[in-house]
Amino acid sequence: MAKVYVSWKDIENYVDAVVEDLNKRGIKPTGIYGPPRGGLVFATMLSYRLGVPLLLNAAKGCIIVDDIADSGRTLLHFTENDTQFNKYYITTMYYHERSVVKPDFYLFEKNNDWIVFPYEYDE
């Protein structure tokens, strides 16, 4: 399996793209939540960039951010009870078409390559 190596600059470009998309849509988030395993780094960066709190749990009006929507199971929880009052803006750096959740915003389509982020060990 081929590997794709993501750089810190790639992550910074993704954060910039998310901010641009939020501004374009007129979204003013109440906070940022990222699942700890793949979204925490992104959530921390977006929290600083947007000047909003980093949340321990998803809350009304927040952004959900993760590194990859591959199977989509991690993000499914946030869409199962989608209503007007708890709809989240979901963003990922990578999205695979097989994912059961399609993010509101993603930067890259993922194929079957293995994605290696700079904060992961490359085994």
Side-chain angles (χ1 to χ4, degrees), residues 30-37 39-40 43-44 47 52-60 62-65 77-78 88:
T30 57
I32 311 290
Y33 173 75
R37 180 89 185 227
L40 188 57
T44 301
S47 171
V52 297
L54 179 64
L55 304 173
L56 296 176
N57 295 296
K60 182 179 174 184
C62 80
I63 294 172
I64 308 293
V65 60
H77 166 75
F78 303 106
Y88 302 109

Side-chain angles (χ1 to χ4, degrees), residues 79-92:
T79 62
E80 286 180 327
N81 297 312
D82 231 5
T83 70
Q84 175 183 350
F85 301 104
N86 71 349
K87 171 99 174 80
Y88 302 109
Y89 172 94
I90 296 174
T91 179
T92 61

